[in-house]
Amino acid sequence: MTRTLLPDADRIPHEWLLVRTGADRPRALRVAAERLLRAHLRATVRQRRPTG
């Protein structure tokens, strides 16, 4: 499921992903949220990088 969401990770709210990385969450959910969070951050950096 996570792999399906990776291309659209920049559309998932950063705060929503952060909440799901908490220690009180099941491991599978934390791992998936961390993968999506990394993809979200990469996409955000890519969008802000100047072109030219």
Side-chain angles (χ1 to χ4, degrees):
M1 175 82 136
T2 304
R3 190 179 303 179
T4 304
L5 294 172
L6 285 173
D8 296 317
D10 59 329
R11 296 181 186 182
I12 303 170
H14 183 254
E15 296 80 18
W16 190 86
L17 291 170
L18 278 177
V19 168
R20 278 140 187 87
T21 62
D24 61 326
R25 302 295 178 141
R27 183 181 186 281
L29 182 64
R30 289 192 320 262
V31 170
E34 288 168 2
R35 284 183 71 190
L36 289 168
L37 188 57
R38 283 192 301 271
H40 174 88
L41 293 173
R42 280 193 304 269
T44 302
V45 168
R46 229 179 290 126
Q47 289 172 359
R48 291 184 183 173
R49 192 177 305 163
T51 58

